[in-house]
């Protein structure tokens, strides 16, 4: 057993890539992305454990190595003209903890937590998500900033764990101090607000707002369609983010940028960046 930082990086939107470019070209492009990520990992003292389809798993000796590698991985994909021509992007999750190393593979709770951080229900394209525990181990480094994302449930854990977003895209000063995670940046960010648009109507939500959607006339937004439930969904500010909670019979579909469509049913998810919500039916059928 040894303390390691485990990192998973996943090519976002690979399903759509295979549909649009064909199996051979798509597989070659994904292999190129994973190869580039492996080179970045090696530069930061990391080791590629394995690749699984459109995902790469790496280990690093310390949290700082993994965090810096994650930011360079994102920049590598974003600055590559070939990858951007096909609108390729990655999402990354990582965690530092005790792991069991056996036959060049890595096992244990830390691996499970890291894999959960990279899951598309938590991390979006162009995003790096890690645990507050991992972030707190990095007291002061150059060029890293983070913001809290609230809590997430992880299989095998009896309580949710705090997670953070690593802000790799910001133009930072040459020397920037990473504060301990629970002190990071919420006050420095702009006032949180969410804009919702539906058939010419525009709604602006601030912190503390609760916004209901459904066929019920008492809803904040009334959508009179047969596949929409009376009390279909609720949007509210929770754990430092706007959250969509589905309460419906048919579920809701969420699309953020070029990410694969996410189905939410009797569950909740973060609303990050801009995107669209389809109630009761997938986007391909109707909104």
């Amino acid at each position: 057993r040894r303390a390691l930082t485990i990192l998973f990086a996943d090519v976002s939107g690979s399903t759509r890539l295979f549909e649009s470019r064909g199996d051979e070209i798509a597989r070659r492009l994904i292999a190129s992305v994973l190869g580039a990520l492996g080179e970045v990992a090696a530069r930061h003292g990391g080791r590629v454990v394995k690749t699984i389809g459109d995902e790469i798993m790496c280990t690093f000796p310390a949290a700082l190595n993994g965090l810096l590698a994650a930011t360079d991985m994102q920049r590598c994909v974003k600055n590559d003209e070939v990858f951007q021509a096909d609108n390729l992007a990655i999402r990354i999750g990582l965690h530092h903890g005790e792991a069991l190393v056996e036959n060049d593979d890595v096992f244990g709770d830390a691996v499970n937590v890291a894999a959960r951080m990279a899951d598309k229900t938590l991390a979006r394209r162009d995003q790096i998500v890690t645990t507050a525990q991992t972030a707190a181990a990095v007291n002061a480094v150059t060029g890293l900033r983070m913001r809290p994302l609230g809590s997430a449930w992880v299989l095998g854990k009896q309580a949710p764990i705090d997670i953070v977003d690593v802000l790799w895209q910001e133009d930072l000063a040459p020397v920037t101090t990473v504060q301990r995670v629970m002190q990071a940046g919420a006050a420095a960010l702009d006032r949180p607000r969410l804009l919702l648009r539906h058939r010419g109507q525009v709604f602006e939500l601030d912190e503390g707002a609760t916004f209901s959607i459904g066929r019920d006339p008492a809803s904040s937004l009334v959508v009179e369609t047969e596949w929409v439930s009376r009390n279909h969904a609720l949007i509210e500010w929770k754990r430092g983010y706007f959250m969509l909670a589905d309460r419906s019979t048919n579920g809701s579909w969420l699309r953020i940028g070029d990410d694969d469509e996410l189905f939410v049913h009797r569950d909740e998810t973060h609303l990050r960046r801009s995107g669209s919500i389809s109630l009761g039916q997938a986007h391909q059928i109707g909104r």
Side-chain angles (χ1 to χ4, degrees), residues 1-285:
R1 297 188 65 85
R2 68 180 70 165
L4 290 171
T5 298
I6 297 96
L7 179 150
F8 286 89
D10 192 4
V11 179
S12 178
S14 59
T15 301
R16 187 175 305 170
L17 182 66
F18 276 93
E19 293 176 352
S20 62
R21 299 283 274 155
D23 292 348
E24 293 182 0
I25 294 177
R27 188 70 195 98
R28 187 163 60 247
L29 285 168
I30 291 172
S32 296
V33 174
L34 299 183
L37 299 185
E39 293 176 3
V40 173
R43 291 201 297 269
H44 288 275
R47 179 178 74 89
V48 175
V49 177
K50 56 189 170 184
T51 59
I52 313 164
D54 57 3
E55 184 177 61
I56 190 170
M57 175 185 176
C58 308
T59 60
F60 298 87
L64 178 57
N65 300 71
L67 288 166
L68 293 177
T71 60
D72 280 354
M73 286 177 178
Q74 288 288 8
R75 295 186 182 109
C76 171
V77 174
K78 189 59 65 176
N79 294 331
D80 190 293
E81 294 181 357
V82 175
F83 298 156
Q84 290 308 299
D86 282 283
N87 198 28
L88 294 177
I90 57 173
R91 59 176 179 267
I92 298 176
L94 64 156
H95 174 65
H96 184 81
E98 289 285 329
L100 177 64
V101 181
E102 186 177 287
N103 297 327
D104 293 328
D105 207 343
V106 186
F107 306 91
D109 179 67
V111 177
N112 296 334
V113 173
R116 179 72 174 102
M117 296 301 102
D119 189 271
K120 65 182 180 180
T121 59
L122 288 185
R124 300 291 187 253
R125 61 183 285 132
D126 299 329
Q127 191 171 28
I128 303 168
V129 175
T130 189
T131 59
Q133 174 187 331
T134 301
V138 182
N139 290 320
V141 297
T142 300
L144 284 175
R145 288 184 61 191
M146 306 174 195
R147 64 178 175 181
L149 290 178
S151 301
W153 287 95
V154 175
L155 186 64
K157 296 291 186 180
Q158 295 183 350
I161 60 176
D162 293 328
I163 62 175
V164 299
D165 184 10
V166 182
L167 306 177
W168 62 273
Q169 291 175 307
E170 294 190 359
D171 184 14
L172 302 174
V175 178
T176 303
T177 298
V178 173
Q179 302 175 25
R180 294 186 71 84
V181 62
M182 298 317 291
Q183 301 171 346
L189 297 175
D190 292 337
R191 177 177 60 88
R193 63 177 186 147
L194 177 69
L195 289 178
L196 298 172
R197 295 183 175 88
H198 176 74
R199 295 186 176 178
Q201 296 175 283
V202 179
F203 306 88
E204 182 173 340
L205 279 60
D206 291 317
E207 289 181 83
T210 299
F211 190 87
S212 57
I213 307 174
R215 288 191 291 109
D216 192 316
S219 300
S220 306
L221 172 62
V222 179
V223 182
E224 296 180 350
T225 306
E226 60 182 12
W227 52 81
V228 173
S229 298
R230 287 185 59 82
N231 298 293
H232 195 100
L234 187 70
I235 297 175
E236 57 185 334
W237 178 264
K238 291 174 61 177
R239 302 191 295 272
Y241 241 103
F242 287 105
M243 305 286 293
L244 170 71
D246 180 87
R247 300 175 171 180
S248 70
T249 301
N250 296 323
S252 302
W253 279 259
L254 179 66
R255 176 173 289 166
I256 303 294
D258 293 322
D259 283 359
D260 292 336
E261 198 167 23
L262 176 65
F263 178 60
V264 184
H265 187 223
R266 303 294 174 88
D267 199 357
E268 61 182 21
T269 187
H270 292 158
L271 295 176
R272 304 172 184 172
R273 304 195 310 275
S274 61
S276 59
I277 303 168
S278 182
L279 305 175
Q281 294 184 346
H283 284 79
Q284 294 86 343
I285 300 174

